[in-house]
Amino acid sequence: MSINPSFQDAIKVTPQGANKYSAFLRPEWCIGTVPHGGYTTAVIYQLTLTHFAHAHPNQYKSAASPISIQLSFLRRTASGPATFEVEDVKIGARTSTIHVKLLQPSEKKPGQLDIMVAGYITVSPPEAEVGISARTGWKPYPAPPAGSRADGSVDLAALGRTGTDGAWTKLEAPFAAFRKAAAHIELFGPGSGASEPQQKRSRRMEIDQWARFRPGGDVNGRWTEAAVAYLVDMFPMALDGFDNMSAAAAAEESGTPVSEQKAKFWYPTVTLNVDMKKHLPAEGVEWLYSRVVSKVIRDGRSDIEVTVLDEAGEIIAISTQVGLIVSASRNVGTRKLEKL
């Protein structure tokens, strides 16, 4: 039985000739009409695997996977066909680096393609991952809210079964109709289920979440390394906190009530960097924890740092991104969703 079949279908990449590939960005993985940045990153993750399997099948003894992803989201993508071009920048014994471009029809130049996303991906095969390993002693600080176990950890089996454990409860992602990409994740966080209690507790733009992967509603979904590329950009409760602050700022500036300003903002990714720190088992894992932190929001621009850990407290991935805070009308406008 394959893992995450609907997700694998959604990120499928097909060779189309020398260093050229195609994919179809699915509307159910969009924010508004724009494919979610983490989903797009997962497609590029799959592109990398496909490229090395297709263009360099004998380069390594086993499949090389991304250890570093650096992407710039140059223009808003759209659901529908996408073309990829790959340049081999360095093909090496331990690491290899490729330059990728995601192209789609131009909104302003009919009949032409624009580069929507571009970036560099560095890969390494497992057998080359050798060298010094050392514990730094890093842990999330402040510590996440306590679960029901004696040591303060969360009983994830109980959390998944009952929806609560200690300070943790199941969350409902806000504005699900607009943030369709959030429907593929099951989230649990501390507090009453809203983002504001978390921010009030920490007095920082800081969110803790445990998550299970539910692509297309698949209750057997598991976090794989490709799915982690989606997870590092999936934090709807943090965005709800941005909504609260953005709404308050807009209300103060315009003199209108806050309630009239809520959920009118879009948070597009400008750049996204992912450092993959630990391989997941081939069969995936059920639970992953994320600590999501924003340090400065200024002039409509935000920073977001996401650290993903497994049940043992081992870091799986670290991600940083630059995002914008703009009107949601910039997302939808006059565009229509491409239909399958």
Side-chain angles (χ1 to χ4, degrees):
M1 179 177 170
S2 62
I3 302 173
N4 306 331
S6 68
F7 178 62
Q8 288 302 126
D9 189 53
I11 65 172
K12 181 180 178 180
V13 174
T14 304
Q16 298 292 341
N19 287 21
K20 290 190 176 182
Y21 303 84
S22 66
F24 194 100
L25 304 184
R26 301 301 184 103
E28 65 269 25
W29 291 85
C30 284
I31 304 295
T33 62
V34 179
H36 174 250
Y39 162 65
T40 303
T41 303
V43 175
I44 292 174
Y45 186 103
Q46 186 63 38
L47 164 70
T48 304
L49 300 183
T50 303
H51 174 68
F52 276 88
H54 180 72
H56 306 288
N58 301 316
Q59 180 65 27
Y60 302 112
K61 295 179 181 178
S62 57
S65 59
I67 59 173
S68 173
I69 301 171
Q70 301 166 294
L71 299 178
S72 291
F73 291 76
L74 307 174
R75 300 173 178 87
R76 61 180 186 174
T77 53
S79 61
T83 298
F84 293 94
E85 295 180 355
V86 178
E87 176 190 0
D88 293 327
V89 178
K90 171 203 168 185
I91 303 299
R94 173 159 184 166
T95 65
S96 294
T97 300
I98 59 175
H99 180 219
V100 303
K101 300 176 186 176
L102 187 164
L103 301 98
Q104 286 188 310
S106 173
E107 292 188 65
K108 298 180 179 180
K109 298 172 286 185
Q112 297 186 41
L113 295 177
D114 276 340
I115 302 172
M116 305 301 188
V117 183
Y120 289 89
I121 295 92
T122 298
V123 306
S124 182
E127 65 269 12
E129 293 283 89
V130 296
I132 295 172
S133 295
R135 294 188 178 276
T136 66
W138 183 90
K139 293 182 179 180
Y141 182 83
S148 65
R149 288 176 170 165
D151 63 356
S153 63
V154 178
D155 185 338
L156 294 172
L159 185 62
R161 185 176 63 254
T162 68
T164 61
D165 185 74
W168 293 75
T169 188
K170 187 173 183 180
L171 307 175
E172 295 297 330
F175 314 116
F178 180 68
R179 297 173 184 155
K180 295 181 291 296
H184 305 283
I185 191 173
E186 195 174 47
L187 285 170
F188 302 81
S192 64
S195 65
E196 202 167 6
Q198 285 205 56
Q199 291 149 6
K200 285 184 175 180
R201 171 182 58 80
S202 65
R203 297 184 179 182
R204 291 189 290 268
M205 279 296 296
E206 185 176 277
I207 296 293
D208 293 300
Q209 63 182 39
W210 278 101
R212 296 196 289 193
F213 195 36
R214 294 293 183 258
D218 181 6
V219 297
N220 295 311
R222 292 294 182 269
W223 292 115
T224 60
E225 289 173 27
V228 169
Y230 156 80
L231 177 61
V232 296
D233 193 34
M234 181 47 64
F235 30 74
M237 309 317 291
L239 296 185
D240 196 39
F242 285 167
D243 273 344
N244 290 331
M245 290 193 307
S246 300
E252 182 179 356
E253 183 175 325
S254 64
T256 58
V258 173
S259 60
E260 295 181 11
Q261 295 290 339
K262 280 276 288 181
K264 293 189 176 181
F265 300 94
W266 174 41
Y267 307 96
T269 301
V270 178
T271 63
L272 176 66
N273 299 319
V274 186
D275 179 5
M276 305 294 285
K277 304 298 288 187
K278 177 185 175 183
H279 289 291
L280 292 175
E283 67 275 13
V285 297
E286 183 176 7
W287 293 93
L288 287 176
Y289 161 89
S290 301
R291 165 67 59 87
V292 184
V293 178
S294 291
K295 298 180 178 69
V296 179
I297 298 173
R298 181 173 293 132
D299 299 328
R301 181 161 48 88
S302 67
D303 61 85
I304 301 174
E305 180 182 78
V306 179
T307 307
V308 179
L309 296 87
D310 61 14
E311 292 186 49
E314 296 280 350
I315 295 178
I316 302 300
I318 300 171
S319 172
T320 59
Q321 66 171 270
V322 174
L324 296 180
I325 303 175
V326 300
S327 168
S329 63
R330 295 272 301 274
N331 177 299
V332 180
T334 59
R335 302 171 98 194
K336 294 182 179 179
L337 287 174
E338 180 97 21
K339 295 188 180 295
L340 288 169

